[in-house]
Amino acid sequence: QRVNVTVRSGLPMVLSGSAEPCAQLVVSSIGVVGTAEQNQRHSARFFDVLTAQLGLGPERIMIRFYPLEPWQIGKNRTVVTFL
C-alpha cells in the first residue's frame, strides 16, 4: 500500500559514459531514506535484487534516494500529513 513502482524499459540511457545496458532506481520515501546509514542498508538490498533480476553488474546500476516530508505527498484529496 505504501510502495509504488514504475518501470520504463527501452529508454536510451548512458551511465558512466557507456550506453551498455544499465538501470536507474529512484527511491523516495517519508522517514525511511533520510540518512547515509539508512540508505547504505537499502542500497545493499536493492543491489542484491537488481543484479539478480536484471543480470547487470553493480557498476551498471545507479540508485537515487529522495527523502520526502508528509506534506509533499497528496493522497485521498489531502496530504499524508493529515492521514
Side-chain angles (χ1 to χ4, degrees):
Q1 183 179 10
R2 296 210 178 246
V3 176
N4 297 300
V5 177
T6 301
V7 176
R8 291 186 282 184
S9 63
L11 297 176
M13 196 164 129
V14 174
L15 180 63
S16 300
S18 170
E20 291 298 312
C22 59
Q24 176 178 257
L25 174 64
V26 178
V27 179
S28 56
S29 181
I30 298 169
V32 178
V33 296
T35 69
E37 291 77 14
Q38 287 174 316
N39 292 349
Q40 185 177 34
R41 289 189 302 272
H42 299 315
S43 183
R45 292 183 193 133
F46 284 130
F47 270 93
D48 288 346
V49 171
L50 292 172
T51 55
Q53 294 296 315
L54 300 177
L56 296 173
E59 72 284 354
R60 299 302 302 153
I61 299 171
M62 176 75 64
I63 302 174
R64 295 189 297 160
F65 295 98
Y66 291 100
L68 297 173
E69 297 296 327
W71 53 267
Q72 293 175 304
I73 303 297
K75 187 173 179 181
N76 295 336
R77 301 180 70 196
T78 186
V79 292
V80 173
T81 302
F82 302 110
L83 294 177

